[in-house]
Amino acid sequence: MKQAINAQYHLTPGGAFVDKILASQRRKLFDAFLQFKQGNANDTTLNVGMMPGPIFEKPDLLEAWCDQKERSRILSYQIEPPSAAASSPSSAPSSELQLPFSDGAFDWVFCNEVIEHVGGGERQFALVRELYRVARKGVFVSTSNRKHPIEFNTGLPLLHLLPQGVWQRMLRAGGKRHWTAPGVLNLIDAPALYNFAERLPGSPQHDVGHKRVFGAKAHFFLMVNKPAKTA
């Protein structure tokens, strides 16, 4: 299930450099999802993204790269982003993470670059559990690696590897205060994704793959296969 491929890039200055990396990585994640599902031509997909906002302008991979026939079997749903004005961390699952769909409503569920923006660990697990609930065959969740030298949301290198308080002070000093609000950015790693999958009901088969940038694992993707219901 895993696919670890090194990405190759030409050096370009500033934000364009990180944008180039992200464009290549997102294409590889999209390809990994297609390889994972390998489903029937008539399979349906729920595409769960983050509602666009001042700091959440992430492209819709499925809409951009699927052909017209495939798009007709995709439903996109957007989660409301956390408030940058929140004064305290949000850790408990809440209603905005509850998807308005019945159990097993879609064959596949695709969720790219969302889980790091829904709050702390329990809310992240609540999202994975909801994605799993509405899937009939499987779930694909991707996110950047909190240990990679580049932090892909802020576009800054290395600072996120410092203690959180130091990192957040430097972000505020650098004019990126919006990324320090509670719940807005909670980076995770592969062990966290494995933990979420292991806590799902029914102990489903799962694995975590990755895509590399400059030899280091830059993005992870959780793949969960839902057991078929028996008659």
Side-chain angles (χ1 to χ4, degrees), residues 62-82:
L62 296 190
E63 287 293 328
W65 290 324
C66 282
D67 61 31
Q68 185 173 359
K69 184 177 180 181
E70 290 174 317
R71 287 192 202 107
S72 67
R73 299 188 297 274
I74 297 170
L75 177 67
S76 293
Y77 179 82
Q78 296 177 330
I79 293 176
E80 184 176 354

Side-chain angles (χ1 to χ4, degrees), residues 22 26 50-59 80-86 113-114 116-118 151-155 171 175-186:
L22 277 174
R26 286 165 174 162
M50 185 66 69
M51 191 177 295
I55 61 174
F56 297 109
E57 291 293 342
K58 299 185 178 182
E80 184 176 354
S83 171
E113 298 178 273
V114 170
E116 63 265 44
H117 303 306
V118 298
E151 201 293 291
F152 294 98
N153 292 276
T154 62
L171 286 176
K176 294 182 179 288
R177 176 180 296 271
H178 44 272
W179 288 113
T180 67
V184 170
L185 183 58
N186 291 270

Side-chain angles (χ1 to χ4, degrees), residues 121-140:
E122 285 308 305
R123 286 173 59 85
Q124 291 171 332
F125 171 64
L127 173 63
V128 173
R129 186 175 57 202
E130 271 294 279
L131 301 177
Y132 183 72
R133 179 185 66 80
V134 302
R136 189 168 67 87
K137 294 184 178 180
V139 174
F140 184 99

Side-chain angles (χ1 to χ4, degrees), residues 40-116:
N40 184 283
N42 295 317
D43 281 355
T44 57
T45 299
L46 176 64
N47 177 25
V48 178
M50 185 66 69
M51 191 177 295
I55 61 174
F56 297 109
E57 291 293 342
K58 299 185 178 182
D60 188 330
L61 304 188
L62 296 190
E63 287 293 328
W65 290 324
C66 282
D67 61 31
Q68 185 173 359
K69 184 177 180 181
E70 290 174 317
R71 287 192 202 107
S72 67
R73 299 188 297 274
I74 297 170
L75 177 67
S76 293
Y77 179 82
Q78 296 177 330
I79 293 176
E80 184 176 354
S83 171
S87 59
S88 60
S90 179
S91 58
S94 58
S95 59
E96 78 271 12
L97 297 180
Q98 296 174 2
L99 302 177
F101 307 108
S102 60
D103 296 357
F106 302 89
D107 292 302
W108 305 97
V109 178
F110 176 85
C111 186
N112 178 62
E113 298 178 273
V114 170
I115 194 170
E116 63 265 44

